[in-house]
Amino acid sequence: MGRGKIEIKRIENANNRVVTFSKRRNGLVKKAKEITVLCDAKVALIVFASNGKMTDYCCPSMDLGAMLDQYQKLSGKKLWDAKHENLSNEIDRIKKENDNLQLELRHLKGEDIQSLNLKNLMAVEHAIEHGLDKVRDHQMEFLMTKRRNEKMLVEENRQLSFQLQQQEMAIASNARGMMMRDQNGQFGYRVQPIQPNLQEKIMSLVID
């Protein structure tokens, strides 16, 4: 007996639904791979499960982006609006500009210059000379700034040395003044002369 015909409708049991989805999804991916190999067809497959998980397959000979672009051209259906198209064009422009800058950088390094004509070689030479002039100008400015800073440091050191010398002289002068005051207080008093009448009284006491 053969298998009975399955009614195509939503499976109510959640577990059975998950099992059936997993089996049929794997079968779809297997069939997509087989038709790609057997028939040399360009196949793309995208499956979203009910929980949002995605499964995708794209034939090795063409990426998904290129296949969607081809689908848009052949079907006449717009997959991208004007905003996305402008964004895509801007991305392509930036990539191209970056490639050109990378190529110019290699030329400035002396790489890949065999294919350049005389005009392009002269442009590279001019760019290198202009860069060298900027480097020399910056180097000269750096040296001048360094010399100015050195002069400022020398002058500042001279002023600090002078201030230190003045302070040392002031301290020494104060120390001498204090020593002289101390010496005057201990030894520097004057002997008062003896008054005449007091001297007579002393002589009389001696004679007596």
Side-chain angles (χ1 to χ4, degrees):
M1 295 179 60
R3 298 175 61 184
K5 186 178 181 180
I6 300 175
E7 183 180 3
I8 303 301
K9 67 176 185 178
R10 184 177 186 273
I11 301 175
E12 297 299 332
N13 185 282
N15 291 331
N16 292 340
R17 189 165 59 245
V18 170
V19 172
T20 301
F21 171 80
S22 177
K23 290 181 178 180
R24 301 218 170 191
R25 177 200 58 194
N26 294 338
L28 279 174
V29 174
K30 181 180 179 181
K31 291 297 183 183
K33 292 180 178 180
E34 288 176 353
I35 195 174
T36 298
V37 176
L38 294 174
C39 305
D40 194 22
K42 294 179 175 60
V43 181
L45 175 67
I46 302 177
V47 180
F48 292 97
S50 58
N51 59 3
K53 185 177 180 180
M54 183 186 75
T55 301
D56 65 321
Y57 166 77
C58 187
C59 61
S61 61
M62 193 177 219
D63 60 44
L64 183 59
M67 190 168 293
L68 291 175
D69 288 338
Q70 186 174 359
Y71 169 81
Q72 182 175 240
K73 292 176 182 178
L74 296 177
S75 65
K77 297 179 180 180
K78 280 189 170 294
L79 298 178
W80 329 114
D81 55 17
K83 180 179 179 181
H84 288 90
E85 287 183 358
N86 293 335
L87 180 59
S88 178
N89 293 334
E90 182 66 15
I91 291 174
D92 292 338
R93 185 191 66 81
I94 293 175
K95 287 181 178 179
K96 185 177 180 180
E97 184 177 349
N98 181 67
D99 292 339
N100 292 333
L101 290 174
Q102 292 293 334
L103 182 60
E104 290 181 6
L105 182 60
R106 289 198 298 271
H107 291 164
L108 292 175
K109 291 181 178 179
E111 302 173 359
D112 301 334
I113 61 175
Q114 291 80 6
S115 60
L116 298 179
N117 55 31
L118 180 60
K119 183 178 179 180
N120 292 334
L121 287 172
M122 292 178 64
V124 172
E125 182 182 9
H126 175 73
I128 293 175
E129 289 178 351
H130 183 65
L132 286 174
D133 290 339
K134 285 190 173 182
V135 171
R136 293 190 186 99
D137 292 341
H138 182 68
Q139 185 180 13
M140 184 61 64
E141 182 180 356
F142 176 79
L143 291 175
M144 292 178 65
T145 302
K146 182 180 179 182
R147 290 171 184 172
R148 285 196 299 267
N149 292 338
E150 288 176 352
K151 288 181 179 179
M152 291 174 60
L153 289 174
V154 170
E155 179 62 21
E156 184 177 359
N157 183 59
R158 188 188 66 80
Q159 293 180 2
L160 290 175
S161 298
F162 177 76
Q163 293 177 4
L164 179 61
Q165 184 180 6
Q166 294 294 319
Q167 291 179 358
E168 290 176 348
M169 292 175 62
I171 293 173
S173 178
N174 292 336
R176 287 195 297 270
M178 292 176 63
M179 291 178 63
M180 291 180 65
R181 286 195 296 272
D182 292 343
Q183 291 176 358
N184 290 338
Q186 185 175 1
F187 305 106
Y189 59 87
R190 293 187 304 172
V191 180
Q192 297 292 334
I194 301 176
Q195 299 179 359
N197 54 355
L198 182 59
Q199 186 175 6
E200 292 179 356
K201 288 181 181 181
I202 293 173
M203 291 297 295
S204 62
L205 289 174
V206 172
I207 295 172
D208 295 340

